[in-house]
């Protein structure tokens, strides 16, 4: 099983970006934790970070051919991007939406997600664990539907 983790804009700054909101773990730490969990679950995990909406759309389209599902933190594009929602719908692979912070405890504009309706589920507010819980849940979902 192959899972692709997609990190959206500004997540390359993790570790130094608003640590009181996003914690001290770097993106490399997040990806390492995902790799370790992937080994434990017996699945192949690869990761991609992009700051541009088109870059993310292109990556989702390109990766879809080789993956069974996506773990997606589209960051700010979660709240704005019809294009990323359409890309995920277009490639027809199950995905879990994740957020480090609890977006519902923050500004109103973060309460809306263009991705949530098409997702298997959403995990928000657990820091790095949001990604790990999302990966576990996606793998369970794929195993059940296999
Ligand atoms: C985020 C939450 C978004 O609202 C924000 O724009 C991000 C990160 C999170 O992981 O908590 O960049 O997706």
């Amino acid at each position: 099983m192959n899972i692709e983790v997609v990190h959206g804009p500004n997540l390359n700054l993790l570790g130094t970006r608003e640590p009181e909101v996003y914690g001290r773990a770097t993106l490399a730490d997040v990806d390492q934790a995902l790799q370790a969990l992937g080994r434990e679950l017996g699945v192949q995990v690869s990761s991609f970070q992009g700051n541009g909406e088109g870059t993310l759309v292109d990556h989702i389209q390109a990766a879809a051919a080789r993956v069974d599902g996506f773990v997606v933190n589209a960051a700010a594009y979660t709240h704005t991007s019809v294009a990323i929602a359409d890309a995920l719908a277009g490639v027809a692979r199950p995905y879990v939406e994740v957020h480090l912070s609890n977006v519902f405890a923050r500004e109103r504009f973060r309460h809306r997600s263009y991705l949530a309706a098409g997702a298997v589920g959403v995990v928000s507010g657990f820091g790095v664990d949001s990604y790990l819980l999302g990966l576990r849940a996606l793998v369970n979902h794929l195993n059940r539907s296999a």
Side-chain angles (χ1 to χ4, degrees), residues 53-116:
E53 189 174 21
T55 305
L56 293 164
V57 168
D58 285 342
H59 185 77
I60 288 163
Q61 290 184 8
R66 60 174 173 76
V67 305
D68 300 291
F70 292 93
V71 173
V72 183
N73 184 353
Y77 289 135
T78 306
H79 318 300
T80 63
S81 182
V82 176
I84 292 173
D86 281 353
L88 288 163
V91 299
R93 295 286 182 282
Y95 66 94
V96 173
E97 172 182 335
V98 302
H99 301 284
L100 295 150
S101 64
N102 176 357
V103 289
F104 299 104
R106 302 181 63 195
E107 303 95 322
R108 265 195 96 71
F109 66 85
R110 296 187 204 275
H111 300 185
R112 158 182 284 207
S113 167
Y114 283 88
L115 273 53

Side-chain angles (χ1 to χ4, degrees), residues 16-59:
T16 55
R17 173 194 184 199
E18 299 177 82
E20 66 288 356
V21 178
Y22 298 115
R24 297 259 172 216
T26 65
L27 193 63
D29 295 334
V30 174
D31 285 340
Q32 269 169 34
L34 286 161
Q35 290 291 335
L37 179 59
R39 280 193 295 277
E40 186 185 318
L41 299 176
V43 303
Q44 194 70 43
V45 178
S46 46
S47 300
F48 176 83
Q49 190 274 331
N51 286 322
E53 189 174 21
T55 305
L56 293 164
V57 168
D58 285 342
H59 185 77

